[in-house]
Amino acid sequence: MKEIINVSNLNKSFDTNHVLKGISFQVNRGDVVAVIGSSGSGKSTLLRCLIDLEKADSGTITMEGKDLMKDGVYASQNEIRAIIMKMGMVFQHFNLFPHLTVRQNLELAPKVVKKEKGEAMDERCEKHLAQVGLLEKIDAMPSTLSGGEKQRVAIARALMMNPDILLFDEPTSALDPELTGEVLNVMQQLAEAHMTMIVVTHEMSFAREVANKILFMNGGIILEEGEPEDIFEHPKNDRTKEFLSSITRK
């Protein structure tokens, strides 16, 4: 199946604040979708609804042909769990457990959720740490790592669950500029390996060079979507032009 996620007419409010207003889009297998837009446009809320960290109010979210939510009605808890186990999420602030080593952080979810144990899990842990360039840190504590290293560990941890899609919520915004590059390099390698990704980001170079689809959000709606060249070189909407112009000036 080519289509991996289909979102239709998704709405979400917090009290009187209507954050997502009828969001609809599709993600195909192997897509790298960059979600851009100013703060407060609903980008992070959208991701959190996709992975069931927030409950949407209405709409449909379909993952690999299975409905997480259809016409505002959620699937059963067991069905939801099975669907979101196919997704991994990397947060802005790493969310590593400070009292666990890097290895223990990576192996916790497979042990608890999938009841995994033994050599196969150890091998996968080493493989994913090598993938993000941090195998030598396998027994380190998070407090000894730089911000960029913590975020790369967080990516390796997400990969441990063998996800079909990775969601990234501003993965570099808490990092110094010099550490941003090492995280973006890992994400670019994942893209080259055809990992399906949805990335909320302010890194326009990543959006332009690595993504194959851009969603520009403003005021809780997708104002414009298309290939990077179309959005960056020939934006149609005045608000898109204004946003890209302000980013370029910074």
Side-chain angles (χ1 to χ4, degrees):
M1 184 194 303
K2 199 168 182 226
E3 187 178 89
I4 194 164
I5 282 186
N6 190 312
V7 175
S8 177
N9 199 26
L10 195 68
N11 287 275
K12 170 66 179 174
S13 294
F14 296 100
D15 297 323
T16 58
N17 184 14
H18 196 174
V19 178
L20 300 178
K21 304 172 183 175
I23 297 284
S24 298
F25 67 97
Q26 293 78 42
V27 179
N28 292 329
R29 195 170 297 281
D31 276 351
V32 178
V33 179
V35 186
I36 64 172
S38 54
S39 297
S41 56
K43 306 183 302 295
S44 295
T45 300
L46 173 60
L47 282 197
R48 292 174 70 84
C49 286
L50 293 183
I51 202 164
D52 200 46
L53 290 174
E54 296 284 0
K55 294 289 187 190
D57 300 324
S58 62
T60 298
I61 302 170
T62 305
M63 165 79 178
E64 295 181 321
K66 295 192 167 80
D67 293 324
L68 179 76
M69 173 193 199
K70 184 170 177 64
D71 297 329
V73 179
Y74 272 91
S76 72
Q77 218 32 62
N78 284 343
E79 289 170 315
I80 290 172
R81 196 174 298 116
I83 291 167
I84 65 173
M85 272 176 64
K86 299 290 188 74
M87 305 185 203
M89 186 151 175
V90 178
F91 297 89
Q92 181 177 339
H93 292 292
F94 330 127
N95 292 7
L96 299 180
F97 292 102
H99 61 291
L100 300 179
T101 66
V102 167
R103 182 198 301 273
Q104 290 166 336
N105 265 282
L106 262 67
E107 294 186 349
L108 183 63
K111 278 180 180 172
V112 172
V113 178
K114 293 187 173 180
K115 311 301 181 200
E116 288 185 45
K117 54 187 175 184
E119 283 182 22
M121 188 170 63
D122 288 340
E123 285 171 13
R124 215 163 74 253
C125 178
E126 291 173 10
K127 171 189 150 189
H128 290 311
L129 281 175
Q131 193 175 353
V132 301
L134 288 173
L135 182 55
E136 77 282 0
K137 301 288 189 179
I138 192 165
D139 293 315
M141 300 302 290
S143 61
T144 67
L145 305 178
S146 71
E149 288 170 338
K150 288 176 184 172
Q151 194 59 294
R152 285 188 282 155
V153 168
I155 294 171
R157 179 178 60 181
L159 291 170
M160 282 293 287
M161 296 295 282
N162 294 323
D164 291 340
I165 182 167
L166 280 179
L167 311 179
F168 292 84
D169 188 9
E170 297 281 10
T172 59
S173 65
L175 302 178
D176 294 333
E178 62 192 281
L179 300 177
T180 294
E182 63 190 52
V183 174
L184 293 178
N185 286 341
V186 168
M187 293 170 65
Q188 182 161 359
Q189 288 163 21
L190 290 171
E192 289 166 358
H194 308 295
M195 170 59 78
T196 309
M197 300 192 280
I198 303 177
V199 185
V200 169
T201 185
H202 282 114
E203 295 292 335
M204 293 303 117
S205 60
F206 177 88
R208 184 193 285 262
E209 294 160 23
V210 181
N212 69 310
K213 182 191 273 188
I214 307 289
L215 303 179
F216 172 65
M217 288 186 67
N218 185 73
I221 64 173
I222 295 174
L223 213 50
E224 196 162 346
E225 69 177 288
E227 295 180 2
E229 185 178 356
D230 294 332
I231 299 297
F232 285 102
E233 303 300 332
H234 312 290
K236 296 183 177 67
N237 190 284
D238 287 343
R239 181 68 190 97
T240 316
K241 293 174 187 172
E242 186 184 316
F243 173 77
L244 292 173
S245 168
S246 72
I247 290 284
T248 310
R249 284 199 302 270
K250 284 180 182 175

